[in-house]
């Protein structure tokens, strides 16, 4: 006589159990986040759609309709009207120079304050913190006077120097807090191997803090690219203007129509967006490395 035993109940896999226990509140939060995302990118989508319209298409169908046919005339008119190639070159040179020089100056300052522990370091940090809090409007007249005296007014060099100092104030304050917690074992090992301060900086400190430096480089580039107020004052010649200044000046042009304006907004933000997407992984790695530490 055979005995039939009941098989033990099978348990649902973890993924299935997780789906069963999802509360409705989770979906509500996801829906709200999705709505906020659409709200943020909606203006960019409208600008992109209108940049590829003809003026007649825009006038007949409005700004929210899809274009009847793809037209690049607005982009071409904008590019030729402001000599965008020249403005793009000016912004790239300025932003890259400030990003590189700002990171270098921040490293030197933070190395002296965070690892070297110079006297009065607290007052130096207070000075850099206050420098970060000063609005640019307060700096306009002193910087204008100095640039005139040094014959640097209406020169990209003046903007590079100004923003290198401004950005490095933030970079110094941030890196100093990082270098204060730098592993002393690495510094002691470098000293035992006979490395001086200069060699220790480039062979030990900089490689270890490379993720943080990459984050600073990305931020400095994007911040400098988007600057408008100081470049508007210090770069008065058309050949020296950057992209944001050219866009701001162009908005007052009576020959500008809606499609050309949309093209200007799209092309103006596109280089910074491409740069951010290229360095997105570097930025994520830098932030993650700081969080893990």
């Amino acid at each position: 006589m055979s005995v039939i035993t009941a098989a033990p109940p099978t348990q649902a896999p973890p993924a299935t159990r997780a789906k069963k226990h999802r509360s409705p509140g989770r979906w509500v939060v996801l829906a709200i986040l999705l709505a906020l995302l659409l709200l943020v990118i909606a203006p960019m989508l409208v600008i992109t759609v209108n940049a590829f319209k003809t003026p007649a298409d825009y006038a007949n169908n409005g700004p929210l309709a899809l274009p009847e046919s793809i037209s690049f005339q607005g982009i071409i008119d904008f590019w030729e009207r402001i000599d965008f190639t020249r403005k793009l070159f000016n912004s790239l040179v300025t932003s890259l120079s400030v990003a590189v020089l700002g990171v270098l100056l921040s490293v030197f300052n933070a190395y002296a304050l965070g690892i070297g522990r110079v006297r009065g370091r607290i007052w130096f940090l207070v000075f850099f913190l206050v420098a970060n809090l000063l609005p640019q409007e307060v700096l306009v007249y002193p910087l204008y006077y100095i640039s005139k005296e040094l014959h640097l007014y209406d020169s990209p060099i003046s903007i590079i120097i100004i923003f290198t100092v401004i950005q490095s104030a933030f970079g110094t304050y941030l890196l100093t807090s990082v270098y204060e917690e730098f592993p002393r074992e690495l510094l002691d090992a470098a000293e035992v191997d006979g490395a001086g301060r200069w060699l220790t900086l480039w062979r030990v400190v900089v490689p270890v803090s490379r993720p943080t430096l990459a984050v600073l480089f990305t931020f400095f580039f994007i911040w400098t690219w988007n600057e408008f107020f100081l470049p508007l004052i210090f770069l008065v010649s058309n050949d020296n203007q950057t992209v944001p200044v050219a866009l701001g000046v162009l908005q007052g042009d009576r020959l500008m129509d809606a499609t050309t304006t949309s093209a200007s907004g799209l092309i103006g933000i596109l280089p910074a967006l491409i740069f951010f997407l290229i360095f997105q992984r570097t930025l994520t790695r830098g932030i993650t490395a700081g969080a893990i530490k």
Side-chain angles (χ1 to χ4, degrees), residues 75-102:
I75 297 177
I76 295 174
D77 292 341
F78 163 73
W79 197 289
E80 294 177 349
R81 186 172 300 176
I82 70 168
D83 189 11
F84 188 76
T85 303
R86 179 68 180 179
K87 306 302 187 296
L88 184 63
F89 176 78
N90 293 339
S91 290
L92 285 175
V93 171
T94 302
S95 300
L96 286 176
S97 300
V98 171
V100 173
L101 296 177

Side-chain angles (χ1 to χ4, degrees), residues 117-150:
R117 304 296 178 95
V118 299
R119 290 186 177 182
R121 53 184 300 274
I122 300 298
W123 294 108
F124 281 107
L125 292 178
V126 171
F127 171 78
F128 286 116
L129 179 61
V130 172
N132 287 319
L133 300 177
L134 287 177
Q136 294 184 356
E137 291 78 4
V138 178
L139 305 174
V140 169
Y141 181 75
L143 293 177
Y144 173 81
Y145 179 79
I146 294 174
S147 64
K148 279 287 190 179
E149 291 293 323
L150 297 177

Side-chain angles (χ1 to χ4, degrees), residues 209-248:
S209 58
R210 189 174 297 168
T212 305
L213 301 182
V215 173
L216 284 181
F217 178 84
T218 306
F219 282 161
F220 289 173
F221 181 91
I222 296 177
W223 291 344
T224 306
W225 180 280
N226 294 328
E227 286 292 344
F228 173 76
F229 181 65
L230 290 180
L232 177 65
I233 295 175
F234 286 89
L235 302 177
V236 294
S237 298
N238 185 53
D239 292 338
N240 294 329
Q241 290 178 349
T242 57
V243 171
V245 176
L247 294 178

Side-chain angles (χ1 to χ4, degrees), residues 167-272:
Q167 309 291 23
S168 64
F170 171 79
T172 300
Y173 185 78
L174 176 65
L175 277 180
T176 301
S177 61
V178 174
Y179 286 170
E180 284 179 349
E181 305 297 329
F182 197 86
R184 302 300 304 182
E185 297 81 4
L186 297 178
L187 300 176
D188 294 339
E191 185 177 358
V192 170
D193 292 338
R197 294 182 178 179
W198 182 259
L199 193 60
T200 301
L201 172 63
W202 293 111
R203 294 293 181 87
V204 178
V205 177
V206 170
V208 172
S209 58
R210 189 174 297 168
T212 305
L213 301 182
V215 173
L216 284 181
F217 178 84
T218 306
F219 282 161
F220 289 173
F221 181 91
I222 296 177
W223 291 344
T224 306
W225 180 280
N226 294 328
E227 286 292 344
F228 173 76
F229 181 65
L230 290 180
L232 177 65
I233 295 175
F234 286 89
L235 302 177
V236 294
S237 298
N238 185 53
D239 292 338
N240 294 329
Q241 290 178 349
T242 57
V243 171
V245 176
L247 294 178
V249 174
L250 190 63
Q251 298 306 316
D253 193 340
R254 292 178 295 177
L255 299 178
M256 287 283 289
D257 53 58
T259 57
T260 308
T261 303
S262 300
S264 67
L266 176 62
I267 298 178
I269 197 176
L270 201 57

